[in-house]
Amino acid sequence: MKTWKIILLIATIILSIFFYVVLTFSYPYIDEIEASWLTDDEIAIKANAIVINPNFFSIRITKLNYSLFLNDVEIAHGMNENVVLHPEKNNVGFQLILNYGNLQKWWASHIKNNEYSIVIVKYNAIANFLFFKKSKEIKEEYTTISTNFISKLSLYEPKPVNVSIYGKNTMLLIINKFESRWQYVDENITIINSTIQFYNPNEGDVKILNLTYDIFLNGIKMGNGSLKEVTIPPYGVKETFCLTYIYNEKIPEWFESHIRNGENTTYEIKSNAQILYDESIYLAEPLNIKGNFTTNFLNFELEKVL
């Protein structure tokens, strides 16, 4: 066989293999993922993914960017370089650093979305195989986070307001309800509008001269509220409202405490009031609401393509 024919045959075989590889190339995909919070110094996310390379040859990922979004707000980011994916299963570890600067923006989106957040992970990968580079960007929903925080800042069962009069425990008022709803939120401030209803079980007027309260999350003072002067007539019911202001610059501090506490938050409303009854002023704590709530931000259930 002539030399040129041999060269042509070899070239034909190489080109056939090359085009076969190009035409049959399949993108790797994540089969499963486990993630946990790192809380040693700065808050970060440590993750390990099982990545399947369905091709019969290895692929080198020259750059792989990861971003974690909550309602399209990026709250964490990480990057890997020069990751080699062998055929079939590969363990790929990565770490994402929390972006504290976007937490207030996420909080505003969460409240505006009726306390609902979509957890999204975005991958941007550049892969090398043979003489070519292939890039792929995927942004997929993984799970959702739903809270009911506003209902926890409410009181639906009657609560007596007692004071000591001449050494005797005396009921001055009953709070029939304290019902809260979101009124306004942006990146800087959150305003809660609460309806409060009083019942006076006494023969004389009861006048609340002032009532103030603070909201705490994991012991961090997040905001405060107050009630204007109000008089409840004998055996009467009076309904009014008060505004609570949460200062969102405290959101990053609370979020960090929430994560360090195993995604658990203790909330508390502490109040003080001056109440006028029978020409005497009494100090009382009309509102004292306390409880906790939990989340699970890293509950990933997925099978996503890189």
Side-chain angles (χ1 to χ4, degrees), residues 60 75 192 277:
R60 184 168 64 92
I75 68 157
I192 300 171
Y277 174 67

Side-chain angles (χ1 to χ4, degrees), residues 138-154:
I138 296 291
K139 190 175 182 180
E140 293 286 354
E141 176 183 334
Y142 283 42
T143 186
T144 57
I145 301 294
S146 181
T147 60
N148 196 13
F149 181 51
I150 195 66
S151 71
K152 297 180 183 300
L153 298 181
S154 300

